[in-house]
């Protein structure tokens, strides 16, 4: 049975998140640009099925996650060496190389 457009978007978001290397983060908007959807849709997907992937590597543009996730995310960030202070990632230092991320995603998506 063919997959729906919504299922394909979810699959693409999950694949893109899995490409984010340990110790790095991206924003919802970065993932959205990569897979061709909106940042809001990426956030909804992460809220629904994000536990299946390293969700702590996808944050908002300010480097934050919803407050109920901050403590657990901070533990992951510390384990991975992600640059973070006071419950938020330092995006200029922690953001993944977006060109490399896109190349890896494209290789997996083919």
């Amino acid at each position: 049975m063919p997959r729906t457009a919504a299922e394909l978007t979810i699959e693409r978001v999950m694949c893109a998140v899995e490409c984010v290397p340990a110790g790095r983060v991206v924003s919802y908007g970065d993932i959205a640009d990569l897979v061709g959807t909106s940042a809001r849709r990426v956030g909804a997907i992460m809220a629904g099925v994000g536990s299946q992937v390293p969700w702590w590597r996808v944050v908002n543009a300010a480097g934050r996650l919803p407050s109920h996730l901050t403590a657990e995310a901070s533990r992951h960030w510390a384990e991975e060496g992600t640059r973070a202070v006071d419950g938020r990632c330092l995006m200029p230092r922690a953001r993944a190389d977006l060109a490399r991320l896109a190349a890896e995603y494209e290789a997996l998506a083919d």
Side-chain angles (χ1 to χ4, degrees):
M1 174 177 264
R3 293 174 290 186
T4 67
E7 290 169 331
L8 285 172
T9 300
I10 291 168
E11 184 178 306
R12 289 178 179 135
V13 168
M14 296 291 100
C15 179
V17 173
E18 288 176 340
C19 292
V20 179
R24 297 293 179 186
V25 296
V26 294
S27 70
Y28 299 110
D30 294 335
I31 295 293
D33 290 344
L34 185 59
V35 304
T37 192
S38 71
R40 190 174 299 270
R41 180 74 179 125
V42 171
I45 290 168
M46 294 303 292
V49 295
S51 64
Q52 299 173 24
V53 294
W55 54 266
W56 56 91
R57 297 180 189 158
V58 184
V59 297
N60 70 17
R64 296 190 183 279
L65 284 167
S67 60
H68 68 281
L69 298 174
T70 302
E72 186 176 353
S74 293
R75 286 190 294 275
H76 287 290
W77 295 334
E79 288 170 7
E80 293 184 358
T82 306
R83 300 278 186 111
V85 173
D86 296 328
R88 82 175 173 88
C89 293
L90 303 175
M91 292 301 280
R93 294 184 178 154
R95 182 177 257 139
D97 178 329
L98 298 180
R100 179 178 278 175
L101 177 66
E104 186 171 337
Y105 170 75
E106 292 299 326
L108 289 175
D110 286 342

